[in-house]
């Protein structure tokens, strides 16, 4: 007999038929006549209720049916008399596939803190919250590919190991096979990478953008979706050392089209989850509501989770320049009252998450796209505006998150680009292949990077980025 998944049973029940279910025990309760076993196999947030009559199953035969154990149940599906479920499985035989010692199984059926669950990250996907989060993570990945596929973008696998450290030196993880106890040095006392695996210094990528641009100059519209590594020591609830980023890159797009694509993309993804993950989302919305109750009045979100997602998908994002944003921030209450950790004094300062969140959550109460940033605070490859002081950059800012997307139109002019590369002190020869695209058939083009886990935070209502990736990597932590 083949097993039937619980999702299929509950969504399309065929009563009075014999079926086989294989799943993990969530709870067992009962009296001297009957035992009720709640089973979950991960195919849905919902459990199926198994009814085991004492006339068929002795206490002894059910002693290993404990929370966390894996069992196979053969039985007949019946309409349920009890409240809370419409069908139940009347057990005829129960086989124990894997016991879970109740003395040591850590995931007991009670409320555990997220901190504790992080310590048992190998078991936490068996909890309702994390199973919901990770089913949504799958659906969201699928939606990313569907969106771009429907638009004719090609998915490009950019390298994970890279020898270019163009984006942000100092934030990269090194990749080496050198014996760290005997590091070879050259005459000048510097590390000699000649005998290292690649014959040169290599790192884990911080972005697939530069390689993505090369393919946009050939296939037109491409995207990457892969792991990204940053050795920045920022121990925040929004930063991981290993995260997943989606980076579309489009030939012939200028900044306004880039912004429009970012907005359409985010709305599509949110819609997709609203329409395809109802049960999981409802569960997370309830959880979010409970969490909010524990917060102080002034810290509570203005909307529930579903309401917030609905709101974002059905409202236009505010578009405004960096310069306009600085004016608003300068005149804002928290700035005048000295409530910002980094006060806004003059044009040119980098915006911190507190400023981004003020604009989005307090001032506009809508997602905001800021564009035309000072060139000094942005990367070398961004298109220089005619004013000579700003670049055609854009950041999408979301409530509760701050920056969720960073992007720009790229500088396609060879002279301007080389000039900027020298100015910021990058060695031009290291980027010869990148500069070649500006020599041969250059064209206006644009792209952006969406942090996948930041969007996951927004959609699931979870508050720490460590709880939306299966096994988080953060400073001092690479367990599991
Ligand atoms: P932040 O200022 O928040 O650190 P950033 O300016 O370094 O972001 P970009 O280099 O523009 O970010 O990267 C593009 C996107 O990748 C960001 O908008 C964000 O969604 C995501 N991102 C960046 N760094 C991290 C990280 N350490 N962990 C998770 N996501 C990240
Ligand atoms: Mn950063």
């Amino acid at each position: 007999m083949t097993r039937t998944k619980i999702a299929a049973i509950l969504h399309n029940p065929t009563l009075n038929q014999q079926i086989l279910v294989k799943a993990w025990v969530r709870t067992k309760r009962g009296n001297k006549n009957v035992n009720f076993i709640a089973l979950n196999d991960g195919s849905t947030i919902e459990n199926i209720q198994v009814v085991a009559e004492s006339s068929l199953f002795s206490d002894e035969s059910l002693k290993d049916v404990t929370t966390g154990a894996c069992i196979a149940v053969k039985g007949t599906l019946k309409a349920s008399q009890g409240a809370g479920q419409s069908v139940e499985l009347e057990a005829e035989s129960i086989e124990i596939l894997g016991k879970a010692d109740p003395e040591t199984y850590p995931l007991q059926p009670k409320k555990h803190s997220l901190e504790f669950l992080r310590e048992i990250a190998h078991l936490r996907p068996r909890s309702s919250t994390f199973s919901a989060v990770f089913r949504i993570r799958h659906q969201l990945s699928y939606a990313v590919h569907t969106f771009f596929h429907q638009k004719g973008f090609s998915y490009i696998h950019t390298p994970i190991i890279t020898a270019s450290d163009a984006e942000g030196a100092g934030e990269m993880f090194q990749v080496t096979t050198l014996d760290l106890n005997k590091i070879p040095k050259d005459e000048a006392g510097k590390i000699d990478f000649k005998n290292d695996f690649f014959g040169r210094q290599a790192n884990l990528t911080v972005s697939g953008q530069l390689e993505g641009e090369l393919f946009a100059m050939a296939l037109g519209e491409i995207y990457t979706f892969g792991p990204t590594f940053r050795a920045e020591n920022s121990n925040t609830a929004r930063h991981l050392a290993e995260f997943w980023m989606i980076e579309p890159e489009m030939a012939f797009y200028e900044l306004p089209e880039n912004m429009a694509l970012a907005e359409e993309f985010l709305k599509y993804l949110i819609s997709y989850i609203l329409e395809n993950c109802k049960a999981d989302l409802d569960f997370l919305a309830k959880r979010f509501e409970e969490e909010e109750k524990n917060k102080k009045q002034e810290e509570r979100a203005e909307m529930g989770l579903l309401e917030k997602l609905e709101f974002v998908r059905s409202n236009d994002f505010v578009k405004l320049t960096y310069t306009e944003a600085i004016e608003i921030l300068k005149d804002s209450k928290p700035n005048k009252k000295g409530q910002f950790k980094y006060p806004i004094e003059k044009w040119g300062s980098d915006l911190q998450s507190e400023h981004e969140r003020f604009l989005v959550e307090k001032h506009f109460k809508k997602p905001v796209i800021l564009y035309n940033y000072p060139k000094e605070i942005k990367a070398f490859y961004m298109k220089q505006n005619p004013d000579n002081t700003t670049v055609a950059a854009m950041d999408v800012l979301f409530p509760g998150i701050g920056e969720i997307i960073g992007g720009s139109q790229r500088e396609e002019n060879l002279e301007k680009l080389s000039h900027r590369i020298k100015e910021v002190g990058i060695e031009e020869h290291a980027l010869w292949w990148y500069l070649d695209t500006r020599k041969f058939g250059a064209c206006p083009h644009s792209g952006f990077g969406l942090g996948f886990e930041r969007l996951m935070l927004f959609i699931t209502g979870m508050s720490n980025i460590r709880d939306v990736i299966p096994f988080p990597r953060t400073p001092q932590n690479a367990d599991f």
Side-chain angles (χ1 to χ4, degrees), residues 23-27 38-47 64 66-71 97-102 104-110 112 117-118 120-135 280 283 470-471:
W24 292 270
V25 176
R26 282 292 170 83
T27 56
L39 283 186
N40 190 286
D41 67 0
S43 61
T44 163
I45 185 107
E46 291 159 274
N47 300 331
D64 290 330
T66 56
T67 297
C70 189
I71 65 175
L97 300 178
K99 296 187 210 177
D101 176 8
T104 52
Y105 184 63
L107 199 65
Q108 290 302 323
K110 59 168 196 174
H112 293 290
L117 289 167
R118 260 171 240 148
I120 53 162
H122 58 310
L123 295 170
R124 69 177 182 171
R126 294 194 197 177
S127 68
S128 296
T129 299
F130 284 95
S131 72
V133 165
F134 292 116
R135 270 187 302 271
D280 287 328
F283 177 87
F471 300 103

Side-chain angles (χ1 to χ4, degrees), residues 230 232 238-240 243 245 403-406 449 451 454 465:
R230 301 210 178 159
E232 53 197 357
R238 305 176 308 117
H239 287 89
L240 291 162
F243 64 101
M245 185 147 62
E403 180 188 331
I404 196 160
I405 281 182
R454 296 239 176 125
I465 199 161

Side-chain angles (χ1 to χ4, degrees), residues 9-260:
I9 298 168
L10 298 181
H11 300 156
N12 190 15
T14 45
L15 294 179
N16 306 315
Q17 270 189 25
Q18 212 195 31
I19 52 170
L20 170 66
V21 172
K22 295 182 180 177
W24 292 270
V25 176
R26 282 292 170 83
T27 56
K28 182 179 74 176
R29 63 194 171 82
N31 52 43
K32 58 182 187 314
N33 300 322
V34 66
N35 275 292
F36 298 105
I37 306 161
L39 283 186
N40 190 286
D41 67 0
S43 61
T44 163
I45 185 107
E46 291 159 274
N47 300 331
I48 192 164
Q49 168 154 290
V50 173
V51 181
E53 303 274 354
S54 302
S55 54
L56 279 176
F57 299 93
S58 65
D59 281 354
E60 175 61 20
S61 75
L62 294 182
K63 75 174 189 333
D64 290 330
V65 179
T66 56
T67 297
C70 189
I71 65 175
V73 182
K74 222 179 264 173
T76 305
L77 198 63
K78 298 276 173 155
S80 173
Q81 280 102 45
Q85 66 279 323
S86 58
V87 295
E88 59 193 20
L89 183 59
E90 268 184 29
E92 285 143 29
S93 73
I94 296 179
E95 184 192 347
I96 310 283
L97 300 178
K99 296 187 210 177
D101 176 8
E103 297 296 310
T104 52
Y105 184 63
L107 199 65
Q108 290 302 323
K110 59 168 196 174
K111 193 168 159 49
H112 293 290
S113 72
L114 294 172
E115 289 76 15
F116 170 73
L117 289 167
R118 260 171 240 148
E119 288 167 20
I120 53 162
H122 58 310
L123 295 170
R124 69 177 182 171
R126 294 194 197 177
S127 68
S128 296
T129 299
F130 284 95
S131 72
V133 165
F134 292 116
R135 270 187 302 271
I136 288 180
R137 191 176 162 111
H138 159 71
Q139 294 279 354
L140 193 59
S141 311
Y142 183 75
V144 166
H145 291 299
T146 307
F147 176 82
F148 287 122
H149 179 71
Q150 284 173 355
K151 285 190 168 289
F153 283 56
S154 294
Y155 177 30
I156 301 298
H157 299 102
T158 48
I160 289 170
I161 298 176
T162 167
S164 86
D165 65 348
E167 264 236 65
E171 287 190 354
M172 300 184 100
F173 288 101
Q174 282 195 44
V175 177
T176 182
T177 51
L178 290 178
D179 180 349
L180 295 184
N181 292 311
K182 284 184 281 189
I183 297 174
K185 301 269 175 74
D186 62 14
E187 282 110 64
K190 290 220 170 116
I191 300 171
D192 184 0
F193 286 102
K194 270 202 299 296
N195 291 317
D196 202 351
F197 192 91
F198 298 105
R200 57 197 289 189
Q201 192 180 1
N203 302 296
L204 294 179
T205 184
V206 293
S207 158
Q209 180 203 319
L210 301 190
E211 290 92 347
E213 282 187 52
L214 312 181
F215 271 76
M217 298 293 101
L219 306 189
E221 294 169 321
I222 66 96
Y223 69 105
T224 72
F225 184 1
T228 309
F229 306 87
R230 301 210 178 159
E232 53 197 357
N233 216 336
S234 35
N235 227 330
T236 77
R238 305 176 308 117
H239 287 89
L240 291 162
E242 176 181 296
F243 64 101
W244 287 66
M245 185 147 62
I246 298 139
E247 296 178 278
E249 196 65 40
M250 300 76 64
F252 317 118
Y253 278 50
E254 299 190 9
L255 191 67
E257 295 156 298
N258 197 23
M259 293 197 271

